[in-house]
Amino acid sequence: MRSKGLMGVFGLLVVMLSLLGIAYSAWRDTVVIEGTVEMGELIVGILKNAYGKGVHYKLNETTNCVPEEDFHPAKPWVANTTIILKNPETSKHHTPKQTVYKTMKIKIKNAYPQYDVHIKFKLKNAGTIPAVVTMYTNGTDTTDVESLSFPSIAWNETEQAWVAEGSVTDEAGHEIAYVKLVAKVPQNCQLEPCNKYEVELHIKFKQEAEECHTYTFKITIEAIQWNKAGELE
């Protein structure tokens, strides 16, 4: 009887504490999951300072593969090639940060048969996401301006590079120049953020190029994140 009485008093005490709003202890534990997502970036372009501070590309102009200053007797420099790099973009997450240019403008003035232009630059994935590139050529037609038809680009096993080599013709089929484009990009065309890839463009003008005429050409390098490469058209 005494035991039942004590139990009754204990139960009454619990009810009273509850009515009075007084809490009593209970064991607890907590699991917290927190997440932070930092998105990567995809930036592909022509590397700034690729050959030293302030040297973004290499340009060599020759006649029959001989520099003008090496002719004897010396000849005046009659043709001129100017290169302008535009649309710079700097990485935010690549370590170290890198700047690449998205556009290269090549301006050739007073060209003549046997004048040769040699340009080297480096392609860089300045982001953090591997990128797959595709390269193709195209041009535009306007009044008194002709777009040149470049040879197609294909993998060259001997040079271990993507190469476009052959005659460049105008709309009438005349051989205006002989070109060679060499892109030392892996066969799968995947650019890793840690590597630089050299590209060379050689143009040799031929006798059939018309006097007082303007020609245009365009080379496009398009990049897409590595896992979506199959969807690139």
Side-chain angles (χ1 to χ4, degrees), residues 9-25:
V9 171
F10 178 75
L12 181 61
L13 180 60
V14 170
V15 172
M16 290 178 63
L17 289 173
S18 299
L19 292 174
L20 292 172
I22 299 174
Y24 50 94
S25 64

Side-chain angles (χ1 to χ4, degrees), residues 17 21 28 40 59 61-62 76 83-84 99 102 110 136 138 146 158 173 175 189 198 210-212 215-216 220 228:
L17 289 173
R28 294 177 179 233
L59 170 63
E61 302 166 81
T62 62
I83 297 176
I84 299 174
T99 297
K102 311 308 286 291
N110 203 31
Y136 55 93
N138 59 313
E146 291 188 57
T158 301
E175 185 181 13
C189 286
E198 191 160 75
E210 294 185 55
E211 296 180 50
C212 301
Y215 300 100
T216 66
T220 302
K228 302 289 282 186

Side-chain angles (χ1 to χ4, degrees), residues 146-159:
E146 291 188 57
S147 60
L148 299 178
S149 176
F150 265 57
S152 59
I153 300 173
W155 176 255
N156 186 299
E157 192 67 32
T158 301
E159 298 205 38

Side-chain angles (χ1 to χ4, degrees), residues 81-83 104-108 117 119 121 136-141 145-151 168-169 176-177 179 181 201-203 205 214-220:
T81 297
T82 303
I83 297 176
M104 172 183 281
K105 292 282 188 180
I106 304 171
K107 185 79 171 181
I108 303 174
V117 179
I119 303 168
F121 62 91
Y136 55 93
T137 61
N138 59 313
T140 55
D141 292 326
V145 175
E146 291 188 57
S147 60
L148 299 178
S149 176
F150 265 57
V168 173
T169 58
I176 303 304
V179 303
L181 173 67
L201 176 61
H202 307 279
I203 306 175
F205 291 94
T214 300
Y215 300 100
T216 66
F217 66 90
K218 183 187 292 185
I219 300 169
T220 302

